[in-house]
Amino acid sequence: MKKLLIASVLGLGALSANAADIVDTAVSAGSFKTLVAAVQAAGLVDTLKGPGPFTVFAPTDEAFAKIPKAQLDALLKDKAALTKVLTYHVVPGKVMAANVKAGKVKTVQGSELTVSTMGGVKVDNANVVKTDIVTDNGVIHVIDSVVLPK
C-alpha cells in the first residue's frame, strides 16, 4: 500500500510538471465555462493556445452571471465586440502576483486596465480572488467581475 501511495504521488507530480496552456487550464478548472465559450465564439482559442506569454484576468462563470442575460447573449453573438472585451482581459507577458504594481497596464485590446493594490488587488472594478494559476504559456488570475474597455 505504501509503495502504491508513493508511486501515485510521484505520478501526480509528473503530471503537474507539464502545465497545460491557458485554454486547457480554464477548461479543466470547470469554473470558466462561459469564458471558454466566449473565447471559442470570438475565435481566440488558437491565440490563447499560442506561445504567449500572456497574463489573463479570467472572470468566473459567476462573474459572467452578473451581466444581464440579454446583454450577455448579444455580446456572445457580436464577434467584434466580444473580441474587444476578451482581449481587454489579457496583458502581454507573464505577470505573477508578486510582481503586480498599481497603475495603468496596457492590454492586448489596446486600452489600459487600472490596477490597484489597496485592500487587495483590483483590476478596474473587479477583485482578484485567486492568483498565479501557472500555465505553460502564461498565468491566470481569477477575477469576480467582467471588466469592460472604456
Side-chain angles (χ1 to χ4, degrees), residues 27-39:
V27 168
S28 67
S31 57
F32 301 108
K33 291 180 180 82
T34 308
L35 176 62
V36 171
V39 166

Side-chain angles (χ1 to χ4, degrees), residues 2 10 15 38 40 43 45 52-53 61-63 66 68 77 80 84 93 98-99 107 112 114 129 135 137-138 143 149:
K2 195 173 190 179
L10 290 174
L15 287 176
Q40 290 169 335
V45 171
D61 292 334
E62 291 78 21
K66 294 178 183 179
K77 290 177 184 161
K84 189 174 182 178
N99 301 323
T107 68
E112 293 180 328
T114 301
V129 295
T135 69
N137 64 342
I143 55 177

Side-chain angles (χ1 to χ4, degrees), residues 55 57 91 94-103 105 114-118 120-123 128 131-132 139 141:
T55 298
F57 295 100
V91 174
K94 183 177 182 178
V95 183
M96 302 302 287
N99 301 323
V100 170
K101 293 178 178 56
V105 180
T114 301
V115 177
S116 61
T117 55
M118 299 287 286
V121 177
K122 288 181 83 113
V123 179
V128 177
T131 61
D132 295 346
V139 62
H141 301 297

